[in-house]
Amino acid sequence: MNPYIPTTANDRAEMLRAIGLESAAALFADIPAEIRLADGLALDAPKSEYEVLAEASARAAKNRPAAQMPCFLGAGVYDRLVPAAVRPLTQRQEFLTAYTPYQPEISQGTLQAIFEFQTLVCSLFGMDVANASMYDGPSACAEAALMAVRHTGRRALLVSALLHPEARAAVDAYAQFNGIDIVTLPEKDGITDKDAAVSALLNNENVAGVLIQAPNFLGVVEDLRPFAEACHAAKGLLLSYTADPAALALFESPGAMGADIAVGEGQSFGIGMGFGGPHLGLMAAKQPLMRKLPGRIVGETVDTRGRRAYVLTLQAREQHIRREKATSNICSNQGLNALTMTIHLSLLGGSGLREVAEQSYAKAHFLRDRLAELGFAPRTDAPFFDEFAVRLPVETALTADALNAKLLEKSFLGGYALGEKEWLVAVTEKRTRAEMDAFVCAIKEALS
Amino acid sequence: MTYDYDKTIFELSAEGKQGYRLPPVDGRQGGGRQDAAPTNAPDTLRNVGAACSRPPEIPVIPESLRRAVPPLLPQVSEPEAVRHFTRLSQKNYGVDGGFYPLGSCTMKYNPKVNEEVCALPGFAGLHPYQPAETAQGALQLLHELGEAFCAITGMDEFSLQPAAGAHGELAGLMIIKNYHASRGEGHRKTIIVPDSSHGTNPASAAEAGYHIVQIDSNADGTVCLAALETALADGDIAGLMLTNPNTLGLFEKDILKIAELVHAAGGLLYYDGANLNAILGEARPGDMGFDVMHINTHKTFSTPHGGGGPGAGPIGVKAHLSEFLPTPRVVKDGDAYRFEDVGPNSIGKLRGYFGSFGVLARAWTYIRTMGAAGMKEVSEAAVLNANYMKEALKGPYKLPYDHVCMHEFVLDGLADAAEGVKTVDVAKRLIELGYHPPTIYFPLIVHNALMIEPTETESKETLDAFLAAMRQIADEAAKTPEVLTAAPGNTPVTRVDELRAAKTPKLKWEEVS
């Protein structure tokens, strides 16, 4: 008996009789004989739950998960603390096993949670309106690019060289298939070259906007204001990407610095690293762009008795209504992960998030100083949040990869190799002083 | 009167509360430099380096970059947060709680063991950039899953990267585009979709930069071959997107002829995997002539919908399209697994990293649990359940396409109803009687559509009770229509004012001043 299929042999016989068919095979009579599978699928035999769990555990045991090592690897995915209350709530079946909230009367839980999520996203980003989520940060960047092109009718986008490579890849792919030109804005001393942006905007009237990551891929906090001014003077849009919005507890929001569309990655907020997914795409915009947003949006309204209620709204933008004229093809998004972020930030509160950010900031600055003592020169002196790029000491023959390999032997997950001799190191609130001291010791040994 | 924990989390907030305590910074007791805080605020971070012989320089954030107004976050304790979100959850309806015959969405039971597997620390704690040799088990799982999908669908290679079904469609259409371009046939800029197709099909085609031609269905609800031939004669056709069985729940009997026509015209055939549950172990898209397809793991392979994701939308291709798949792919060398760049013809990456691993691990678990025999049991039970319900409802409800159906069927509203009673009223009355309603008003070619998909995980007892409810509603529709039009009355909210929501959008909570 298959544990997930309740139909008994008696049921089957009775049901077939009720519909006047001889056998279950007759149900598939419309499938042409030449494509009917005669021998079944080339899969294993069914297994018990216990056997499958054992197989899964054996595979999991072959891994050495970052979360169980002192992890100094970030580059867009961060090893942060997650309150224990998050998972039991997101595992509640009413959230976990519900569909998209198309029937508001029995979906107020999901709808209100999304409404609260939209409020949090707007607040963090300093924006007016947010949608119910995108797949992840990189795909949100790509959708933001399409949105800017749609809004302006222009077909070029200036993209910072310091945009996360995964995000850049997604933007490139979406752009290529939509005939959008991507022009790279070069780096200058760890930040995006403002002069290059200004001159590109002046010389090309086909520029829909500028996409800047802040903090950028090197961890450096970018001042978006000059880009906003240049964009707006040219009647283009400023697009910002925040790969780790924990930074926004301390640093000025993209909205306040002039961004028109703000996208981000919400993995830092209660969503595990999970080998890269599923994570959480965030997207918000200023009011005039509200009806250009892709994806689902929840609005507040009232029911027939005048009580506060929530409902999916502005659906005339979406694929199930507008088909090929929709603002995007997105249907399923990241509902449960949006809920995760909402619960996570509710538990932390403003004070808790601020402490997460301040601890991360302080610890990262502490470690960078300690590494400097070992001869790791900062790649730039520009202000950073909790991730920083350094050059390996000139006297070592080690590459960043080789250094990481030596550190792994001692059960440390080292930084991201930016090249042979450059290293991107992340320090979250989860790292302890003892771990950082041990990390520094291990590096010293590796270098000697 | 109880305290209203269901108001927004922002309204529950009060200064001085916090639902999570961080560990203290090491050396906290030692005291630190007063000027070391980045925002000149709390004490904690001044202590980071306090035990250090040389106090660290922790610079203050420059004024121009410092946040002027802190973000508005709620301040609540853990029990209050838990009560709030628990209360919210109680206003939802999930598959664990009841029958969810939502056509096209395959709302089957989501096995609990799946949740256990994806939460194993050896999987959940992996960083996507950690070295491949430290993630061999995860890579093995991905590789095995790709092979299982090939076996199930008859395709030659899968990419597990796309994040959802629509994302898979987009990837598949980009593959079709690169394929034609690689053959010097970049002029092929049109995708054909049937009028019964999912909205994502034309939307995905548009997002991949295509023009869309929609073709009418036959009177029997399947693809009209004459209309297809006319559309194909255009010369710039890149491909046809098809769901089989289609959204009416009917198997496209002429699928081999359709494939032949599309291929003869130089086009490719795209399979929308939304309805794959109907044919598991019975037939495979690869054998029908499809060149590229996606799977919705959150439909066919039992991964939870989560109130709107995250899902996963793996895409499969025939060998001649492998070089265009998203990059990277997982390859196996002997006993070792690694990522490999797909090469210059790849469509690239449509998202970060390799796919929604947590979702894919659940699908892997499901496939290993079900095995070959289980897959066949799924489609048989799903199709039998649908036909059993269709036959029972075809009197009181209009059945526009009276034919053996596959995993779902579409009714065209009530056969006999008082004036003013609509399909939506049937749906709302079903809610009142304890059910999630079927999909309504889709597919668009059936005006009063009620699209019913029972799935294989529902008992005959459940189906019989639902059928009784449907008959009762049909009866009420004729005799006491106000029972339907006033429904639901026993839910957390009654029908909501959608017009007001759209006309005066209120999309976030704001303090009333």
Side-chain angles (χ1 to χ4, degrees):
Chain A
M1 191 69 194
N2 184 305
Y4 309 146
I5 304 179
T7 318
T8 64
N10 278 345
D11 291 337
R12 195 177 305 117
E14 213 174 300
M15 290 162 84
L16 281 168
R17 205 159 40 241
I19 60 176
L21 287 181
E22 294 281 306
S23 69
L27 295 166
F28 297 92
D30 279 347
I31 302 179
E34 54 265 61
I35 54 169
R36 278 294 289 279
L37 277 179
D39 304 324
L41 295 170
L43 294 176
D44 288 351
K47 292 193 178 76
S48 70
E49 180 178 291
Y50 183 74
E51 291 168 296
V52 175
L53 256 182
E55 287 184 342
S57 302
R59 282 154 186 75
K62 288 192 197 176
N63 301 325
R64 291 179 66 192
Q68 293 180 355
M69 290 184 253
C71 171
F72 294 89
L73 178 58
V77 178
Y78 300 94
D79 181 25
R80 294 199 180 281
L81 296 169
V82 179
V86 173
R87 185 170 156 84
L89 289 170
T90 57
Q91 279 284 309
R92 285 187 66 90
Q93 69 85 14
E94 300 90 338
F95 287 132
L96 184 71
T97 74
Y99 194 69
T100 300
Y102 284 132
Q103 298 288 347
E105 299 88 346
I106 44 173
S107 310
Q108 286 298 302
T110 294
L111 288 163
Q112 184 175 330
I114 295 172
F115 185 79
E116 293 175 359
F117 167 79
Q118 289 172 183
T119 307
L120 289 170
V121 174
C122 285
S123 169
L124 283 166
F125 285 157
M127 303 300 277
D128 300 320
V129 288
N131 75 7
S133 76
M134 308 298 289
Y135 305 132
D136 66 356
S139 64
C141 285
E143 289 275 4
L146 296 188
M147 185 175 157
V149 165
R150 231 175 11 245
H151 181 71
T152 59
R154 303 176 184 178
R155 305 206 69 83
L157 191 75
L158 309 180
V159 176
S160 165
L162 298 172
L163 179 66
H164 195 297
E166 303 278 343
R168 176 58 190 264
V171 169
D172 282 348
Y174 278 65
Q176 181 203 333
F177 289 93
N178 283 279
I180 300 167
D181 288 330
I182 301 295
V183 181
T184 303
L185 294 175
E187 173 199 343
K188 195 177 174 187
D189 303 327
I191 58 171
T192 312
D193 187 346
K194 292 174 183 68
D195 298 335
V198 171
S199 78
L201 281 159
L202 285 175
N203 294 322
N204 184 351
E205 56 191 25
N206 202 27
V207 174
V210 176
L211 172 57
I212 310 281
Q213 178 174 331
N216 66 33
F217 187 60
L218 300 177
V220 175
V221 183
E222 297 254 8
D223 187 350
L224 297 175
R225 293 180 193 91
F227 297 103
E229 278 163 30
C231 277
H232 297 156
K235 296 198 164 29
L237 300 176
L238 176 64
L239 285 53
S240 70
Y241 177 53
T242 312
D244 181 5
L248 298 177
L250 300 181
F251 294 94
E252 192 50 284
S253 71
M257 292 198 286
D260 301 287
I261 304 172
V263 290
E265 169 56 64
Q267 180 270 329
S268 264
F269 296 144
I271 298 158
M273 295 182 281
F275 207 35
H279 291 169
L280 172 64
L282 311 174
M283 179 177 255
K286 292 282 170 66
Q287 191 66 35
L289 294 162
M290 177 178 72
R291 287 173 201 279
K292 304 285 170 63
L293 280 168
R296 299 201 171 104
I297 298 176
V298 170
E300 185 185 312
T301 185
V302 292
D303 73 358
T304 57
R305 298 177 193 171
R307 292 174 297 190
R308 182 157 66 172
Y310 302 93
V311 66
L312 291 175
T313 192
L314 305 177
Q315 296 192 69
R317 303 163 296 106
E318 290 188 71
Q319 49 78 25
H320 62 287
I321 309 282
R322 295 276 281 169
R323 295 176 74 85
E324 67 269 25
K325 294 190 181 66
T327 54
S328 166
N329 70 334
I330 192 167
C331 184
S332 286
N333 48 43
Q334 303 293 103
L336 198 71
N337 287 0
L339 174 73
T340 303
M341 166 171 153
T342 308
I343 296 169
H344 182 85
L345 288 182
S346 298
L347 288 162
L348 288 182
S351 52
L353 180 64
R354 187 185 175 90
E355 192 175 348
V356 164
E358 288 182 334
Q359 284 205 17
S360 303
Y361 179 91
K363 290 172 180 177
H365 284 77
F366 169 76
L367 184 63
R368 191 173 80 153
D369 284 356
R370 299 295 304 275
L371 291 180
E373 289 165 8
L374 299 184
F376 288 80
R379 193 175 185 282
T380 166
D381 293 325
F384 66 98
F385 172 44
D386 65 357
E387 194 163 18
F388 55 89
V390 289
R391 295 199 176 87
L392 266 57
V394 279
E395 58 275 12
T396 181
L398 288 179
T399 62
D401 280 331
L403 174 59
N404 280 335
K406 282 178 175 281
L407 291 169
L408 189 61
E409 286 171 19
K410 297 194 158 59
S411 291
F412 289 99
L413 200 52
Y416 177 88
L418 284 166
E420 286 210 339
K421 290 290 182 184
E422 288 191 342
W423 214 30
L424 183 64
V425 178
V427 191
T428 69
E429 79 284 359
K430 193 173 165 186
R431 297 287 71 82
T432 64
R433 175 65 191 279
E435 287 172 344
M436 289 190 283
D437 287 345
F439 187 56
V440 168
C441 271
I443 292 169
K444 236 186 248 177
E445 271 179 49
L447 292 177
S448 63
Chain B
M1 199 69 183
T2 57
Y3 185 68
D4 179 16
Y5 277 103
D6 354 22
K7 56 189 175 185
T8 67
I9 191 79
F10 304 98
E11 292 160 303
L12 293 171
S13 172
E15 273 310 309
K17 297 181 180 183
Q18 187 173 315
Y20 184 66
R21 177 160 51 203
L22 276 83
V25 171
D26 311 66
R28 185 187 184 100
Q29 303 310 319
R33 289 160 53 104
Q34 289 304 305
D35 60 350
T39 53
N40 300 323
D43 298 327
T44 47
L45 51 109
R46 294 170 201 157
N47 303 309
V48 166
C52 194
S53 55
R54 197 168 68 84
E57 295 292 324
I58 297 174
V60 170
I61 295 171
E63 178 88 41
S64 65
L65 296 175
R66 198 183 303 163
R67 184 148 188 157
V69 182
L72 167 88
L73 266 66
Q75 299 288 162
V76 294
S77 65
E78 179 176 327
E80 291 168 299
V82 167
R83 184 152 300 159
H84 172 70
F85 289 104
T86 301
R87 287 283 181 90
L88 290 194
S89 77
Q90 289 167 339
K91 298 182 180 189
N92 262 10
Y93 187 103
V95 178
D96 279 7
F99 187 33
Y100 224 118
L102 194 63
S104 224
C105 302
T106 315
M107 293 296 285
K108 64 171 70 179
Y109 172 68
N110 309 138
K112 299 302 172 196
V113 65
N114 297 359
E115 301 303 310
E116 202 165 317
V117 167
C118 77
L120 288 169
F123 292 140
L126 288 170
H127 190 291
Y129 285 150
Q130 64 178 80
E133 68 264 25
T134 63
Q136 284 296 298
L139 289 166
Q140 180 183 354
L141 184 147
L142 292 174
H143 192 262
E144 288 169 346
L145 183 59
E147 298 210 316
F149 283 150
C150 286
I152 291 166
T153 62
M155 307 307 279
D156 295 318
E157 186 176 351
F158 262 83
S159 166
L160 308 179
Q161 190 184 103
H167 207 217
E169 289 178 19
L170 180 63
L173 289 157
M174 288 174 171
I175 286 170
I176 291 174
K177 219 170 183 186
N178 272 13
Y179 166 80
H180 289 309
S182 75
R183 295 156 52 92
E185 297 192 1
H187 65 279
R188 293 181 177 271
K189 290 198 160 69
T190 302
I191 288 288
I192 305 172
V193 299
D195 55 4
S196 62
S197 61
H198 293 115
T200 49
N201 290 181
S204 299
E207 194 153 338
Y210 282 111
H211 302 293
I212 291 92
V213 170
Q214 184 169 300
I215 56 168
D216 293 337
S217 299
N218 272 327
D220 70 2
T222 58
V223 170
C224 173
L225 291 178
L228 177 61
E229 282 181 276
T230 306
L232 287 170
D234 192 27
D236 74 345
I237 300 300
L240 168 70
M241 297 182 83
L242 206 62
T243 317
N244 194 16
N246 64 27
T247 57
L248 295 166
L250 302 172
F251 193 84
E252 296 281 355
K253 292 192 290 285
D254 295 326
I255 184 58
L256 296 172
K257 181 69 182 168
I258 291 168
E260 188 189 316
L261 289 172
V262 172
H263 288 149
L268 296 180
L269 210 54
Y270 184 92
Y271 183 82
D272 173 345
N275 295 345
L276 184 63
N277 208 49
I279 57 168
L280 288 174
E282 297 287 345
R284 308 188 304 171
D287 301 330
M288 298 177 200
F290 287 96
D291 302 285
V292 51
M293 68 172 290
H294 79 264
I295 278 171
N296 301 79
T297 60
H298 44 296
K299 297 182 179 180
T300 317
F301 296 100
S302 83
T303 71
H305 284 67
I315 48 169
V317 294
K318 292 285 180 57
H320 61 285
L321 298 177
S322 281
E323 63 184 296
F324 307 107
L325 281 168
T327 198
R329 57 163 55 103
V330 182
V331 293
K332 185 181 182 188
D333 291 328
D335 289 332
Y337 299 86
R338 60 182 170 83
F339 287 114
E340 178 185 85
D341 189 60
V342 168
N345 289 334
S346 161
I347 60 167
K349 297 193 84 167
L350 303 188
R351 58 165 295 168
Y353 317 108
F354 330 114
S356 295
F357 183 85
V359 177
L360 298 166
R362 290 173 171 103
W364 177 94
T365 307
Y366 180 71
I367 292 170
R368 291 189 97 79
T369 303
M370 300 304 280
M375 291 294 162
K376 204 169 151 73
E377 285 177 80
V378 165
S379 56
E380 280 188 8
V383 172
L384 178 60
N385 286 352
N387 279 281
Y388 178 70
M389 295 178 78
K390 172 177 69 71
E391 288 303 305
L393 293 175
K394 78 179 177 189
Y397 294 85
K398 291 182 208 158
L399 179 66
Y401 304 98
D402 190 358
H403 188 80
V404 174
C405 68
M406 302 298 285
H407 65 305
E408 68 190 4
F409 61 99
V410 179
L411 300 170
D412 194 6
L414 291 150
D416 177 27
E419 191 162 329
V421 176
K422 300 188 283 289
T423 286
V424 66
D425 301 315
V426 176
K428 299 306 183 191
R429 178 69 173 135
L430 273 170
I431 289 174
E432 201 167 53
L433 295 176
Y435 294 100
H436 193 287
T439 298
I440 54 174
Y441 302 118
F442 181 83
L444 305 177
I445 58 172
V446 180
H447 294 293
N448 300 306
L450 279 157
M451 186 192 209
I452 300 177
E453 180 180 8
T455 83
E456 73 284 1
T457 62
E458 297 298 335
S459 67
K460 180 169 176 297
E461 291 83 351
T462 295
L463 304 186
D464 285 337
F466 178 81
L467 294 172
M470 286 290 280
R471 284 190 214 100
Q472 178 191 328
I473 291 170
D475 198 43
E476 292 166 347
K479 294 175 189 156
T480 51
E482 65 282 1
V483 171
L484 271 66
T485 52
N490 59 353
T491 42
V493 298
T494 55
R495 291 195 204 191
V496 307
D497 189 344
E498 296 190 28
L499 199 63
R500 172 179 162 145
K503 276 184 110 174
T504 50
K506 188 176 177 201
L507 309 179
K508 62 178 180 184
W509 182 81
E510 279 170 301
E511 200 147 18
V512 185
S513 51

